[in-house]
Amino acid sequence: MNVIFLGPPGAGKGTQAQKICAKLNIPQISTGDILRRAIKDGTETGLKAKSYIDAGKLVPDEVIIDIVKERLAMEDCAGGYILDGFPRTVPQAEALSTFADIDSVIELAVEDQVLVNRLSGRRVCLNCGATYHISMLNGREECSVCGEKLVQRADDKAETVLNRLTVYHDQTAPLIGFYEARGLLKKIDGDQGMDNTFAAILKALGAEA
Ligand code: ADP
Ligand code: ADP
Ligand code: ZN
């Protein structure tokens, strides 16, 4: 099953992709995680991507398309995958259609006001990609999966968050119509509890809870 998770920053794509992938035993392909890892490792891609990410802008299409094309060609993707954070522009979606067969697109819908609150309280593990919200950490500062110290992403600061929401509405939201026209879109209310959202996604994918 080849699935895309589509939605604004903070909609819960990463949180849900991680859970659904564990359940279905398929890899989560998070372009944000791949880029942050590249920055951490100081690779050429990381150097190229950093200024865009810090400004809340999208990394150029040609950079990200090649990364995803290579990743999907790897063996572990043969039995299906979830794309979390890709595509984010119509040219990315068009490129994807030349090297992948997508079965479903899950749109996680959440209002902007809720997103601002979620993003400003988000804490992440840059080692394993786990995501938390300060409201559920009770002051804990380490990743409960791998023990690494949790951090606030530089692009989750208030001024950058508003940029990212604008970028989403301008450049990524047109993909809703793009995939609707292809009969692939399944819209899920992302503003319900994590467990209800999880169950709704599984149902939309036709998978057993
Ligand atoms: P995205 O990958 O779409 O940017 P995340 O999965 O990183 O979103 O979630 C953003 C923030 O919102 C995180 O702090 C996460 O813990 C929190 N969050 C995710 N899903 C929910 C939910 N259903 N209700 C409340 N908070 C949530
Ligand atoms: P979020 O979880 O908040 O939606 P991501 O972790 O997916 O954010 O992405 C963080 C940043 O990485 C984006 O703001 C953008 O700069 C860059 N990025 C991630 N995926 C893409 C993509 N498909 N195209 C262009 N830039 C991307
Ligand atoms: Zn971790």
Side-chain angles (χ1 to χ4, degrees):
M1 187 158 20
N2 303 335
V3 182
I4 292 170
F5 276 18
L6 183 63
K13 301 181 298 297
T15 301
Q16 295 297 336
Q18 193 163 39
K19 292 177 59 164
I20 302 276
C21 283
K23 171 94 188 162
L24 302 181
N25 200 19
I26 54 176
Q28 171 190 6
I29 317 293
S30 160
T31 44
D33 285 352
I34 292 171
L35 293 171
R36 281 185 290 279
R37 161 68 54 186
I39 291 173
K40 209 179 174 202
D41 292 347
T43 68
E44 203 181 312
T45 301
L47 286 175
K48 262 191 242 168
K50 188 173 185 320
S51 59
Y52 294 99
I53 295 182
D54 286 349
K57 294 184 184 153
L58 295 181
V59 170
D61 288 337
E62 61 274 16
V63 174
I64 199 73
I65 288 169
D66 283 347
I67 291 175
V68 173
K69 190 174 180 184
E70 259 180 49
R71 181 65 188 85
L72 294 189
M74 290 167 75
E75 215 171 297
D76 64 331
C77 292
Y81 49 79
I82 292 180
L83 280 169
D84 158 18
F86 182 94
R88 265 176 148 96
T89 64
V90 171
Q92 288 179 20
E94 282 167 347
L96 179 67
S97 69
T98 68
F99 58 81
D101 251 324
I102 299 301
D103 301 301
S104 296
V105 178
I106 299 289
E107 181 204 350
L108 282 175
V110 179
E111 298 288 328
D112 280 11
Q113 256 178 314
V114 177
L115 296 171
V116 171
N117 173 40
R118 284 190 187 182
L119 291 168
S120 59
R122 173 159 67 182
R123 296 295 180 270
V124 299
C125 173
L126 291 179
N127 183 48
C128 76
T131 301
Y132 305 85
H133 192 270
I134 41 171
S135 61
M136 62 194 194
L137 283 168
N138 294 322
R140 221 162 16 91
E141 290 179 6
E142 288 86 31
C143 176
S144 60
V145 179
C146 76
E148 179 114 336
K149 193 161 169 53
L150 300 176
V151 296
Q152 177 173 41
R153 278 168 44 177
D155 61 344
D156 279 346
K157 306 240 161 76
E159 31 330 336
T160 318
V161 162
L162 296 179
N163 274 347
R164 288 161 64 213
L165 290 175
T166 306
V167 166
Y168 173 78
H169 292 297
D170 290 350
Q171 301 192 57
T172 307
L175 294 180
I176 295 170
F178 180 96
Y179 285 116
E180 203 160 32
R182 285 158 181 75
L184 296 176
L185 194 81
K186 288 157 181 143
K187 182 171 175 164
I188 306 278
D189 174 9
D191 192 10
Q192 42 182 340
M194 291 187 195
D195 292 346
N196 288 343
T197 307
F198 177 68
I201 295 172
L202 276 182
K203 192 169 166 216
L205 293 176
E208 299 267 325

PDB file of all heavy atoms in Angstrom, residues 8-16 84 118-119 121-123 131-133 136 190 192-194 197, ligand 1:
ATOM      1  N   PRO A   8      -1.334  20.456   6.606  1.00  0.00           N
ATOM      2  CA  PRO A   8      -0.482  21.575   7.015  1.00  0.00           C
ATOM      3  C   PRO A   8       0.525  21.159   8.086  1.00  0.00           C
ATOM      4  O   PRO A   8       0.357  20.109   8.723  1.00  0.00           O
ATOM      5  CB  PRO A   8      -1.489  22.579   7.586  1.00  0.00           C
ATOM      6  CG  PRO A   8      -2.664  21.769   7.975  1.00  0.00           C
ATOM      7  CD  PRO A   8      -2.729  20.628   7.011  1.00  0.00           C
ATOM      8  N   PRO A   9       1.556  21.981   8.302  1.00  0.00           N
ATOM      9  CA  PRO A   9       2.484  21.712   9.395  1.00  0.00           C
ATOM     10  C   PRO A   9       1.718  21.637  10.713  1.00  0.00           C
ATOM     11  O   PRO A   9       0.896  22.502  10.995  1.00  0.00           O
ATOM     12  CB  PRO A   9       3.433  22.919   9.371  1.00  0.00           C
ATOM     13  CG  PRO A   9       2.874  23.905   8.426  1.00  0.00           C
ATOM     14  CD  PRO A   9       1.900  23.202   7.547  1.00  0.00           C
ATOM     15  N   GLY A  10       1.947  20.589  11.473  1.00  0.00           N
ATOM     16  CA  GLY A  10       1.273  20.437  12.757  1.00  0.00           C
ATOM     17  C   GLY A  10       0.000  19.618  12.699  1.00  0.00           C
ATOM     18  O   GLY A  10      -0.629  19.362  13.727  1.00  0.00           O
ATOM     19  N   ALA A  11      -0.390  19.162  11.512  1.00  0.00           N
ATOM     20  CA  ALA A  11      -1.652  18.425  11.379  1.00  0.00           C
ATOM     21  C   ALA A  11      -1.610  17.063  12.057  1.00  0.00           C
ATOM     22  O   ALA A  11      -2.646  16.468  12.343  1.00  0.00           O
ATOM     23  CB  ALA A  11      -2.014  18.263   9.909  1.00  0.00           C
ATOM     24  N   GLY A  12      -0.379  16.557  12.290  1.00  0.00           N
ATOM     25  CA  GLY A  12      -0.250  15.235  12.908  1.00  0.00           C
ATOM     26  C   GLY A  12       0.252  14.176  11.926  1.00  0.00           C
ATOM     27  O   GLY A  12       0.169  12.981  12.212  1.00  0.00           O
ATOM     28  N   LYS A  13       0.801  14.610  10.801  1.00  0.00           N
ATOM     29  CA  LYS A  13       1.282  13.659   9.787  1.00  0.00           C
ATOM     30  C   LYS A  13       2.362  12.734  10.352  1.00  0.00           C
ATOM     31  O   LYS A  13       2.295  11.524  10.204  1.00  0.00           O
ATOM     32  CB  LYS A  13       1.867  14.404   8.565  1.00  0.00           C
ATOM     33  CG  LYS A  13       0.893  15.336   7.869  1.00  0.00           C
ATOM     34  CD  LYS A  13       1.524  16.011   6.662  1.00  0.00           C
ATOM     35  CE  LYS A  13       2.721  16.897   6.980  1.00  0.00           C
ATOM     36  NZ  LYS A  13       2.403  18.059   7.852  1.00  0.00           N
ATOM     37  N   GLY A  14       3.359  13.344  11.009  1.00  0.00           N
ATOM     38  CA  GLY A  14       4.465  12.548  11.537  1.00  0.00           C
ATOM     39  C   GLY A  14       4.010  11.603  12.639  1.00  0.00           C
ATOM     40  O   GLY A  14       4.337  10.415  12.634  1.00  0.00           O
ATOM     41  N   THR A  15       3.212  12.137  13.559  1.00  0.00           N
ATOM     42  CA  THR A  15       2.688  11.336  14.676  1.00  0.00           C
ATOM     43  C   THR A  15       1.928  10.124  14.151  1.00  0.00           C
ATOM     44  O   THR A  15       2.146   8.989  14.570  1.00  0.00           O
ATOM     45  CB  THR A  15       1.730  12.198  15.526  1.00  0.00           C
ATOM     46  OG1 THR A  15       2.448  13.330  16.015  1.00  0.00           O
ATOM     47  CG2 THR A  15       1.153  11.417  16.691  1.00  0.00           C
ATOM     48  N   GLN A  16       1.028  10.357  13.225  1.00  0.00           N
ATOM     49  CA  GLN A  16       0.178   9.268  12.719  1.00  0.00           C
ATOM     50  C   GLN A  16       0.947   8.352  11.776  1.00  0.00           C
ATOM     51  O   GLN A  16       0.740   7.133  11.791  1.00  0.00           O
ATOM     52  CB  GLN A  16      -1.066   9.838  12.022  1.00  0.00           C
ATOM     53  CG  GLN A  16      -2.001  10.594  12.957  1.00  0.00           C
ATOM     54  CD  GLN A  16      -2.603   9.709  14.050  1.00  0.00           C
ATOM     55  OE1 GLN A  16      -2.709   8.493  13.905  1.00  0.00           O
ATOM     56  NE2 GLN A  16      -2.987  10.319  15.162  1.00  0.00           N
ATOM     57  N   ASP A  84       5.422  11.049   4.135  1.00  0.00           N
ATOM     58  CA  ASP A  84       5.016  12.029   5.145  1.00  0.00           C
ATOM     59  C   ASP A  84       5.739  13.345   4.826  1.00  0.00           C
ATOM     60  O   ASP A  84       6.927  13.463   5.064  1.00  0.00           O
ATOM     61  CB  ASP A  84       5.394  11.448   6.522  1.00  0.00           C
ATOM     62  CG  ASP A  84       5.552  12.493   7.618  1.00  0.00           C
ATOM     63  OD1 ASP A  84       5.062  13.626   7.462  1.00  0.00           O
ATOM     64  OD2 ASP A  84       6.175  12.149   8.643  1.00  0.00           O
ATOM     65  N   ARG A 118      -0.180  23.804  18.440  1.00  0.00           N
ATOM     66  CA  ARG A 118       0.514  22.515  18.362  1.00  0.00           C
ATOM     67  C   ARG A 118       1.996  22.704  18.025  1.00  0.00           C
ATOM     68  O   ARG A 118       2.863  22.054  18.609  1.00  0.00           O
ATOM     69  CB  ARG A 118      -0.104  21.644  17.276  1.00  0.00           C
ATOM     70  CG  ARG A 118      -1.419  21.022  17.689  1.00  0.00           C
ATOM     71  CD  ARG A 118      -1.784  20.002  16.643  1.00  0.00           C
ATOM     72  NE  ARG A 118      -3.114  19.464  16.854  1.00  0.00           N
ATOM     73  CZ  ARG A 118      -3.640  18.530  16.078  1.00  0.00           C
ATOM     74  NH1 ARG A 118      -2.964  18.061  15.052  1.00  0.00           N
ATOM     75  NH2 ARG A 118      -4.852  18.075  16.328  1.00  0.00           N
ATOM     76  N   LEU A 119       2.269  23.584  17.069  1.00  0.00           N
ATOM     77  CA  LEU A 119       3.658  23.728  16.607  1.00  0.00           C
ATOM     78  C   LEU A 119       4.527  24.406  17.651  1.00  0.00           C
ATOM     79  O   LEU A 119       5.690  24.041  17.835  1.00  0.00           O
ATOM     80  CB  LEU A 119       3.704  24.509  15.285  1.00  0.00           C
ATOM     81  CG  LEU A 119       3.117  23.746  14.092  1.00  0.00           C
ATOM     82  CD1 LEU A 119       2.933  24.667  12.898  1.00  0.00           C
ATOM     83  CD2 LEU A 119       4.008  22.572  13.700  1.00  0.00           C
ATOM     84  N   GLY A 121       4.307  24.150  20.775  1.00  0.00           N
ATOM     85  CA  GLY A 121       4.587  23.235  21.885  1.00  0.00           C
ATOM     86  C   GLY A 121       5.261  21.942  21.437  1.00  0.00           C
ATOM     87  O   GLY A 121       5.481  21.040  22.243  1.00  0.00           O
ATOM     88  N   ARG A 122       5.568  21.833  20.163  1.00  0.00           N
ATOM     89  CA  ARG A 122       6.156  20.584  19.659  1.00  0.00           C
ATOM     90  C   ARG A 122       7.603  20.441  20.110  1.00  0.00           C
ATOM     91  O   ARG A 122       8.381  21.390  20.085  1.00  0.00           O
ATOM     92  CB  ARG A 122       6.087  20.550  18.134  1.00  0.00           C
ATOM     93  CG  ARG A 122       6.829  19.345  17.538  1.00  0.00           C
ATOM     94  CD  ARG A 122       6.375  19.008  16.140  1.00  0.00           C
ATOM     95  NE  ARG A 122       6.711  20.027  15.158  1.00  0.00           N
ATOM     96  CZ  ARG A 122       6.378  19.956  13.859  1.00  0.00           C
ATOM     97  NH1 ARG A 122       5.688  18.917  13.411  1.00  0.00           N
ATOM     98  NH2 ARG A 122       6.708  20.918  13.037  1.00  0.00           N
ATOM     99  N   ARG A 123       7.974  19.254  20.539  1.00  0.00           N
ATOM    100  CA  ARG A 123       9.365  18.917  20.835  1.00  0.00           C
ATOM    101  C   ARG A 123       9.690  17.661  20.054  1.00  0.00           C
ATOM    102  O   ARG A 123       8.851  16.757  19.964  1.00  0.00           O
ATOM    103  CB  ARG A 123       9.574  18.661  22.335  1.00  0.00           C
ATOM    104  CG  ARG A 123       9.328  19.891  23.215  1.00  0.00           C
ATOM    105  CD  ARG A 123      10.337  21.003  22.947  1.00  0.00           C
ATOM    106  NE  ARG A 123      10.083  22.166  23.793  1.00  0.00           N
ATOM    107  CZ  ARG A 123       9.285  23.185  23.471  1.00  0.00           C
ATOM    108  NH1 ARG A 123       8.647  23.175  22.303  1.00  0.00           N
ATOM    109  NH2 ARG A 123       9.119  24.198  24.296  1.00  0.00           N
ATOM    110  N   THR A 131       8.044  12.437  17.980  1.00  0.00           N
ATOM    111  CA  THR A 131       7.469  13.770  18.154  1.00  0.00           C
ATOM    112  C   THR A 131       6.624  13.817  19.419  1.00  0.00           C
ATOM    113  O   THR A 131       5.885  12.877  19.701  1.00  0.00           O
ATOM    114  CB  THR A 131       6.568  14.091  16.948  1.00  0.00           C
ATOM    115  OG1 THR A 131       7.354  14.038  15.773  1.00  0.00           O
ATOM    116  CG2 THR A 131       5.950  15.468  17.072  1.00  0.00           C
ATOM    117  N   TYR A 132       6.731  14.910  20.152  1.00  0.00           N
ATOM    118  CA  TYR A 132       5.987  15.063  21.405  1.00  0.00           C
ATOM    119  C   TYR A 132       5.375  16.460  21.453  1.00  0.00           C
ATOM    120  O   TYR A 132       5.699  17.325  20.648  1.00  0.00           O
ATOM    121  CB  TYR A 132       6.929  14.903  22.607  1.00  0.00           C
ATOM    122  CG  TYR A 132       7.705  13.612  22.612  1.00  0.00           C
ATOM    123  CD1 TYR A 132       8.897  13.494  21.901  1.00  0.00           C
ATOM    124  CD2 TYR A 132       7.247  12.509  23.323  1.00  0.00           C
ATOM    125  CE1 TYR A 132       9.612  12.299  21.890  1.00  0.00           C
ATOM    126  CE2 TYR A 132       7.951  11.314  23.328  1.00  0.00           C
ATOM    127  CZ  TYR A 132       9.136  11.220  22.613  1.00  0.00           C
ATOM    128  OH  TYR A 132       9.831  10.044  22.605  1.00  0.00           O
ATOM    129  N   HIS A 133       4.482  16.659  22.437  1.00  0.00           N
ATOM    130  CA  HIS A 133       3.976  18.005  22.711  1.00  0.00           C
ATOM    131  C   HIS A 133       4.250  18.286  24.186  1.00  0.00           C
ATOM    132  O   HIS A 133       4.107  17.368  25.012  1.00  0.00           O
ATOM    133  CB  HIS A 133       2.480  18.096  22.415  1.00  0.00           C
ATOM    134  CG  HIS A 133       1.984  19.520  22.399  1.00  0.00           C
ATOM    135  ND1 HIS A 133       1.522  20.138  23.532  1.00  0.00           N
ATOM    136  CD2 HIS A 133       1.930  20.424  21.401  1.00  0.00           C
ATOM    137  CE1 HIS A 133       1.176  21.385  23.216  1.00  0.00           C
ATOM    138  NE2 HIS A 133       1.415  21.581  21.932  1.00  0.00           N
ATOM    139  N   MET A 136       2.251  16.880  27.041  1.00  0.00           N
ATOM    140  CA  MET A 136       2.249  15.475  27.470  1.00  0.00           C
ATOM    141  C   MET A 136       3.590  15.016  28.023  1.00  0.00           C
ATOM    142  O   MET A 136       3.757  13.856  28.373  1.00  0.00           O
ATOM    143  CB  MET A 136       1.804  14.566  26.310  1.00  0.00           C
ATOM    144  CG  MET A 136       2.699  14.580  25.093  1.00  0.00           C
ATOM    145  SD  MET A 136       1.839  13.792  23.697  1.00  0.00           S
ATOM    146  CE  MET A 136       3.210  13.541  22.562  1.00  0.00           C
ATOM    147  N   GLY A 190      -8.371  15.947  11.521  1.00  0.00           N
ATOM    148  CA  GLY A 190      -7.159  15.769  12.326  1.00  0.00           C
ATOM    149  C   GLY A 190      -7.246  16.451  13.674  1.00  0.00           C
ATOM    150  O   GLY A 190      -6.306  16.420  14.459  1.00  0.00           O
ATOM    151  N   GLN A 192      -9.125  15.715  16.282  1.00  0.00           N
ATOM    152  CA  GLN A 192      -9.735  14.845  17.294  1.00  0.00           C
ATOM    153  C   GLN A 192      -8.565  14.180  18.014  1.00  0.00           C
ATOM    154  O   GLN A 192      -7.427  14.357  17.622  1.00  0.00           O
ATOM    155  CB  GLN A 192     -10.683  13.837  16.636  1.00  0.00           C
ATOM    156  CG  GLN A 192     -10.154  13.216  15.359  1.00  0.00           C
ATOM    157  CD  GLN A 192     -11.140  12.246  14.702  1.00  0.00           C
ATOM    158  OE1 GLN A 192     -12.052  11.739  15.348  1.00  0.00           O
ATOM    159  NE2 GLN A 192     -10.970  11.988  13.426  1.00  0.00           N
ATOM    160  N   GLY A 193      -8.841  13.437  19.050  1.00  0.00           N
ATOM    161  CA  GLY A 193      -7.748  12.813  19.796  1.00  0.00           C
ATOM    162  C   GLY A 193      -6.884  11.948  18.884  1.00  0.00           C
ATOM    163  O   GLY A 193      -7.313  11.542  17.810  1.00  0.00           O
ATOM    164  N   MET A 194      -5.648  11.711  19.322  1.00  0.00           N
ATOM    165  CA  MET A 194      -4.732  10.938  18.489  1.00  0.00           C
ATOM    166  C   MET A 194      -5.270   9.538  18.192  1.00  0.00           C
ATOM    167  O   MET A 194      -5.103   9.019  17.099  1.00  0.00           O
ATOM    168  CB  MET A 194      -3.377  10.823  19.176  1.00  0.00           C
ATOM    169  CG  MET A 194      -2.643  12.162  19.227  1.00  0.00           C
ATOM    170  SD  MET A 194      -0.987  11.952  19.861  1.00  0.00           S
ATOM    171  CE  MET A 194      -0.566  13.650  20.244  1.00  0.00           C
ATOM    172  N   THR A 197      -8.065   9.716  15.593  1.00  0.00           N
ATOM    173  CA  THR A 197      -7.495  10.011  14.276  1.00  0.00           C
ATOM    174  C   THR A 197      -6.863   8.744  13.695  1.00  0.00           C
ATOM    175  O   THR A 197      -7.067   8.410  12.521  1.00  0.00           O
ATOM    176  CB  THR A 197      -6.429  11.120  14.389  1.00  0.00           C
ATOM    177  OG1 THR A 197      -7.007  12.240  15.072  1.00  0.00           O
ATOM    178  CG2 THR A 197      -5.949  11.575  13.021  1.00  0.00           C
TER     179      THR A 197
HETATM  180  P1  ADP B   1       3.147  17.253  11.316  1.00  0.00           P
HETATM  181  O1  ADP B   1       4.084  16.095  11.060  1.00  0.00           O
HETATM  182  O2  ADP B   1       1.912  17.198  10.462  1.00  0.00           O
HETATM  183  O3  ADP B   1       3.830  18.581  11.248  1.00  0.00           O
HETATM  184  P2  ADP B   1       3.201  16.333  14.109  1.00  0.00           P
HETATM  185  O4  ADP B   1       2.829  14.891  14.025  1.00  0.00           O
HETATM  186  O5  ADP B   1       4.635  16.649  14.302  1.00  0.00           O
HETATM  187  O6  ADP B   1       2.613  17.111  12.819  1.00  0.00           O
HETATM  188  O7  ADP B   1       2.325  16.995  15.275  1.00  0.00           O
HETATM  189  C1  ADP B   1       2.487  18.374  15.609  1.00  0.00           C
HETATM  190  C2  ADP B   1       2.292  18.563  17.114  1.00  0.00           C
HETATM  191  O8  ADP B   1       0.926  18.297  17.458  1.00  0.00           O
HETATM  192  C3  ADP B   1       3.135  17.628  17.971  1.00  0.00           C
HETATM  193  O9  ADP B   1       3.532  18.339  19.135  1.00  0.00           O
HETATM  194  C4  ADP B   1       2.174  16.496  18.323  1.00  0.00           C
HETATM  195  O10 ADP B   1       2.502  15.902  19.556  1.00  0.00           O
HETATM  196  C5  ADP B   1       0.821  17.222  18.374  1.00  0.00           C
HETATM  197  N1  ADP B   1      -0.317  16.401  17.926  1.00  0.00           N
HETATM  198  C6  ADP B   1      -0.342  15.481  16.925  1.00  0.00           C
HETATM  199  N2  ADP B   1      -1.570  14.931  16.773  1.00  0.00           N
HETATM  200  C7  ADP B   1      -2.378  15.537  17.694  1.00  0.00           C
HETATM  201  C8  ADP B   1      -3.777  15.405  18.049  1.00  0.00           C
HETATM  202  N3  ADP B   1      -4.602  14.556  17.394  1.00  0.00           N
HETATM  203  N4  ADP B   1      -4.236  16.184  19.041  1.00  0.00           N
HETATM  204  C9  ADP B   1      -3.425  17.049  19.702  1.00  0.00           C
HETATM  205  N5  ADP B   1      -2.116  17.215  19.423  1.00  0.00           N
HETATM  206  C10 ADP B   1      -1.575  16.476  18.435  1.00  0.00           C
END
